[in-house]
Amino acid sequence: MALSSPSVHIPSFLIQPRKLPSISTSLLQGNISKPIRFRSSFRRFSHSKTLKCFSQRQFTEEFGRLFSNLNQVTLKREPGSLSSAIFLVAGTTVGAGILAIPAVTQEAGFLASAVTCVLCWIYMVVTGLLIAEVNVNTMCELGSGGVSLVSMAMRTLGKFGVQIACWSYIFIHYALLVAYVARSSDILTSFLSIPLWESATLFSSILGGICYFGSQRFIGAVNGILVSGIIISFTALVVVASGDLKWNTLLRANFEAVPLSIPIIALSFVYQFFVPTLRATCLKTAIVLGTAVPLVLFLVWDAVTLGTISTLETGSDKILDPLQQLRSSSGVAGPIIEVFSLLAIATSYIGFTLGLTDFIADLLKLPSGQSKPLPYILTLLPPLILSLLDPEIFFKALDFAGTYGVLVLFGILPAAMAWSYRYSESSPSPKLPTLVPGGRVTLSVVIVGAGYVILSEILKNFGA
């Protein structure tokens, strides 16, 4: 992933970092006496002179405009680019999670997994629109030009919601960093023929050093090179592997195995943290089309991978990676898979490292803009140690991040916040138009769906 900033235009829609903004430590301590803000500052402005949100008719007409660019000096709207917003959403969505999709869908088969991908896509589009809806309500209530996901949780669910948002954020970051170090060390060990601990340390040191010593421009340039390599290697892999595609294998469907793949597929569609900073004149279109691009990529990737493996070993407690089978069976595809995997992991690792170090710096109350080694040590060292303790932790970490992190932070929480704003009698905000139809039924389905997957995962882990 690249740096997820609206002002940074990455020359690709394929990979974009999921760098979440930093969260103030006051959120964890419960000392909240004013609107919550991230490290980025936003100019406050009056309700009556700017966002005249308390007019139902005007809000209906201007809903999309609230998400267009606002000049912080003149307080005048500057039209946002729909195409730019679509590519930003698409780039933010696709990450290293794509590497795990063939492994978790192989037992279900391509047909069943394709249906699952489409359903997960619809689910994640709905939760993204719910976040946009709550975000607009919160902007209206606070009179602020930009509010964070945690600000929204505080205004709707109180301190308990803030705690859930914060700890889910931390959990997702650490779990994914562990997964990325584990997989990258395996690839580098194969390439360089060095011990696992050396390859893991090398990967963490090089990319961690880039994040610590590099300027924003340098990191952006490095990321641009990595993204270009991802595009080239992905295209080459699809072309090479599709020559051996067995079309009849794509009709295989085992829907009983579908639930096992949902957490990682949901993780692969994460983009919601980016919604509060999205600028577009048509927000619905940007979210729907922006996530539809990764959906197509996931389906093509899954079809090419599963369709070229003649026999898939299933039924084992250990997840067998089809990419490993494809690599061993094809002398041409093997090196391309390794390069694509390593580049995808590297871009994701950079984004999550920057996000977590920024959060830890806030947690330690370090001055803004100063690079201190302690946040980087606390970010880089624990994933390195955990990945070495369990080299096979890649799929476990992704599964845990998708189940207990993503489905809580970007599944249950958006629906709960929307429910509070729509139906809480104590809410001071007016009843504004909704982006997601269906009322309580839709919100209930979103909450129950995520809750069911989480409960199933808990029961599975306890052997029930």
Side-chain angles (χ1 to χ4, degrees), residues 70 125 256:
L70 183 69
V125 166
E256 293 181 359

Side-chain angles (χ1 to χ4, degrees), residues 36-72:
I36 307 169
R37 296 169 185 248
F38 287 125
R39 191 177 293 275
S40 301
S41 60
F42 295 90
R43 183 187 297 272
R44 293 181 57 88
F45 49 92
S46 167
H47 289 274
S48 60
K49 293 184 179 180
T50 53
L51 299 176
K52 299 179 180 178
C53 294
F54 296 103
S55 167
Q56 178 83 5
R57 180 178 179 182
Q58 181 177 359
F59 187 86
T60 303
E61 297 173 350
E62 302 293 326
F63 189 96
R65 297 177 185 270
L66 293 176
F67 284 84
S68 2
N69 295 328
L70 183 69
N71 188 302
Q72 297 297 317

Side-chain angles (χ1 to χ4, degrees), residues 1-12 15-20 88 91-92 210-211 214-224 226-227 273-274 346-355 357 376:
M1 294 173 205
L3 295 176
S4 62
S5 170
S7 61
V8 178
H9 298 282
I10 303 300
S12 160
I15 298 288
Q16 183 90 357
R18 298 189 189 98
K19 178 183 180 298
L20 281 75
L88 283 172
T92 303
I210 291 175
C211 294
S215 63
Q216 182 175 352
R217 176 175 295 183
F218 177 76
I219 296 175
V222 170
N223 188 82
L226 295 175
V227 169
F273 67 87
F274 190 70
T347 51
S348 300
Y349 186 87
I350 290 174
F352 277 97
T353 296
L354 292 173
T357 52
Y376 285 87

Side-chain angles (χ1 to χ4, degrees), residues 367-446:
S368 176
Q370 294 187 10
S371 295
K372 300 293 183 179
L374 185 57
Y376 285 87
I377 293 174
L378 295 177
T379 296
L380 302 176
L381 193 58
L384 175 61
I385 295 174
L386 289 175
S387 65
L388 292 176
L389 291 176
D390 185 2
E392 304 294 331
I393 203 173
F394 178 71
F395 293 107
K396 298 176 186 176
L398 290 182
D399 188 59
F400 270 66
T403 302
Y404 304 114
V406 170
L407 290 179
V408 171
L409 186 61
F410 300 126
I412 295 177
L413 199 65
M417 291 190 299
W419 191 299
S420 175
Y421 255 126
R422 291 183 186 184
Y423 307 114
S424 175
E425 296 180 358
S426 60
S427 176
S429 62
K431 303 304 179 183
L432 302 175
T434 61
L435 281 176
V436 179
R440 288 183 173 89
V441 175
T442 300
L443 300 181
S444 298
V445 169
V446 172

